[in-house]
Amino acid sequence: MAEYTPILSAPQGANKKPKRVGRGSSSGLGTTAGKGNKGQQSRSGGKTYVGFEGGQMPLYRRIAHKGFSNYPFKKEYVCINVEQLDAKYNDGETVNKESLVAKGFISSKKTALVKVLGNGDVKKKLTVEVDKVSESAKAKIEKAGGSVKATEAAAEAK
């Protein structure tokens, strides 16, 4: 078996000498030193900053950045109609986050807020315990003999 001898020198062309700019016209990179003729980019210290728009007022200075945004406090609800509940649930069942996860309506019972809307009809007696219920959905569920318990219903009624 032959012994392995490591190559101690780099392959030809791997190591190049650095470009020496601005060292006379005979070097090929004299006079303007590869920076072109005149202008901000050819000057020393002529770098621009992120967001620079060539002297035009930059976007971050044109747009006002003051005031309050309600976006971080926004609540998003998963909306479910009573006709969907009527199709998937049996008579006398309880509609809550755990059962909605089990039936495939929502993905996570921790993060999702659920609102029941009144599109369609319900003929089964259901006990609904979710975050919000619309007035029309509440009327349809109670008309069918079910009961509604919404955690945020009292806050919405005011």
Side-chain angles (χ1 to χ4, degrees):
M1 187 169 184
E3 274 189 48
Y4 172 72
T5 310
I7 300 170
L8 298 176
S9 60
Q12 187 175 357
N15 297 331
K16 293 182 179 180
K17 289 185 177 180
K19 284 184 182 180
R20 298 191 67 218
V21 296
R23 296 294 185 273
S25 58
S26 63
S27 69
L29 289 168
T31 61
T32 58
K35 290 188 166 205
N37 292 322
K38 299 185 182 177
Q40 186 175 15
Q41 304 297 331
S42 69
R43 311 276 191 243
S44 67
K47 300 225 165 119
T48 58
Y49 50 87
V50 176
F52 182 73
E53 295 188 14
Q56 175 176 300
M57 186 63 69
L59 183 71
Y60 76 93
R61 288 188 62 195
R62 275 183 272 155
I63 298 172
H65 287 281
K66 57 192 259 187
F68 176 76
S69 174
N70 207 33
Y71 185 80
F73 310 104
K74 181 173 74 168
K75 293 180 181 178
E76 290 190 11
Y77 289 87
V78 176
C79 296
I80 300 166
N81 286 305
V82 289
E83 65 184 357
Q84 295 172 298
L85 296 178
D86 195 54
K88 290 257 185 169
Y89 282 87
N90 295 324
D91 197 32
E93 279 191 295
T94 302
V95 179
N96 54 21
K97 287 187 182 180
E98 290 79 21
S99 67
L100 289 168
V101 170
K103 302 261 184 189
F105 282 111
I106 57 176
S107 59
S108 171
K109 61 186 171 195
K110 293 177 185 171
T111 58
L113 293 171
V114 180
K115 182 170 183 177
V116 177
L117 301 177
N119 191 15
D121 290 319
V122 62
K123 296 171 184 72
K124 297 171 184 168
K125 183 180 177 182
L126 299 172
T127 306
V128 179
E129 297 171 4
V130 292
D131 298 303
K132 275 189 177 181
V133 180
S134 69
E135 289 297 319
S136 60
K138 185 176 180 181
K140 288 179 182 181
I141 292 166
E142 288 174 349
K143 185 181 175 186
S147 64
V148 176
K149 183 184 174 191
T151 55
E152 296 182 22
E156 189 182 320
K158 291 180 182 177

